[in-house]
Amino acid sequence: MNRITILAITFLLVFNSCKINKTIIKKESTVTKNTGKSFIVVGIENGGEHRIEEYTPWKNQKYGGGKGAIYVDFLVTQLKPFIDKNYRTKLAPENTAIIGSSLGGLISFYGGLKYPNTFGKIGALSTSFWFSDKVVKFAEENGNQKNTRLYLLAGDKEEAIMVTDTENMAECLLDIGFPSENIKTKIAPEGKHTESFWKEEFLEVITFLFNLENNERTNN
């Protein structure tokens, strides 16, 4: 019985998984035929007025927050075990991604580095690294991951700090030993802080994270 790769997705707004599903479905026949991979997408609805608390591991003096560790623990100890029990998922971390945008990118980055034995792939899109300076120390302490794959994305039409913080984080991780072949940083021309931008980039994100291009060459 075939088992399926799982993607845990956290987004800035209430997440409509249909948008991502449609993106995958457009290439479904090609991806499945050439790589043999299928995906389960788990769209995680945020807590509305509690979204900032959920998506931030540390407090911000202006915006508050800081309960992200509880949220990530829920993903690891309750949600993923439930998915694994009820669906035909591949259990190993190399078959599980956590992907998010904006504050969702921050909590995905945090969750993936904190729990590398659960999430072997991280997609951090337009990530709000600005929210807390503590993210740098966290990355230095947890970023020397040898098996994790990480995709960092920002658009050059977002605020300048988004691009700078993304590039600086990539450099920080490489400096502490994160393998260069396991990290990709893209600054997309004309990219804006919008869901349409993240949707357009999504297929490229999972292509890198799951090494789909190499799988295609292997299966052709």
Side-chain angles (χ1 to χ4, degrees):
M1 182 170 62
N2 292 332
R3 299 186 74 82
I4 302 172
T5 299
I6 183 171
L7 302 172
I9 315 294
T10 53
F11 266 77
L12 172 63
L13 302 175
V14 174
F15 178 67
N16 179 359
S17 61
C18 290
K19 292 181 179 180
I20 298 302
N21 277 326
K22 288 178 180 178
T23 300
I24 295 176
I25 288 170
K26 287 180 180 179
K27 300 289 185 178
E28 179 71 24
S29 59
T30 300
V31 170
T32 302
K33 178 181 178 180
N34 292 344
T35 71
K37 287 185 179 292
S38 297
F39 296 92
I40 292 176
V41 178
V42 182
I44 306 166
E45 186 172 349
N46 66 56
E49 63 182 18
H50 301 294
R51 175 182 63 84
I52 291 179
E53 293 182 0
E54 291 179 343
Y55 286 0
T56 56
W58 311 280
K59 287 186 177 181
N60 177 285
Q61 186 174 1
K62 180 178 180 180
Y63 297 106
K67 296 183 179 179
I70 299 173
Y71 174 78
V72 171
D73 287 348
F74 161 75
L75 300 185
V76 172
T77 63
Q78 297 186 52
L79 181 58
K80 187 171 186 298
F82 175 85
I83 298 297
D84 290 335
K85 181 179 179 180
N86 289 279
Y87 298 90
R88 294 180 292 108
T89 60
K90 295 181 178 180
L91 304 181
E94 60 263 28
N95 296 303
T96 306
I98 183 167
I99 303 173
S101 60
S102 196
L103 288 177
L106 179 64
I107 199 63
S108 297
F109 180 82
Y110 172 84
L113 292 187
K114 184 177 181 182
Y115 291 105
N117 293 327
T118 299
F119 304 111
K121 321 283 188 184
I122 305 169
L125 319 182
S126 301
T127 302
S128 300
F129 291 123
W130 58 266
F131 193 84
S132 174
D133 292 340
K134 292 182 179 180
V135 69
V136 176
K137 182 179 180 182
F138 171 80
E140 291 172 345
E141 293 176 347
N142 297 275
N144 189 12
Q145 304 290 345
K146 301 304 182 184
N147 299 314
T148 298
R149 288 178 73 84
L150 170 64
Y151 194 106
L152 295 171
L153 172 71
D156 69 359
K157 296 300 183 181
E158 300 187 77
E159 292 187 15
I161 191 174
M162 191 73 69
V163 173
T164 301
D165 284 351
T166 298
E167 293 176 331
N168 288 344
M169 183 56 69
E171 184 176 348
C172 171
L173 292 171
L174 291 171
D175 286 345
I176 63 174
F178 199 103
S180 59
E181 65 272 18
N182 287 351
I183 185 170
K184 180 172 181 177
T185 305
K186 179 179 179 179
I187 308 302
E190 304 301 316
K192 300 179 181 180
H193 203 79
T194 62
E195 288 198 35
S196 60
F197 169 50
W198 304 320
K199 184 183 73 170
E200 290 171 1
E201 296 291 326
F202 188 77
L203 188 60
E204 184 174 329
V205 174
I206 64 170
T207 295
F208 172 78
L209 292 180
F210 291 95
N211 206 20
L212 297 183
E213 288 184 348
N214 285 343
N215 283 328
E216 285 189 17
R217 287 193 289 269
T218 299
N219 286 282
N220 286 336

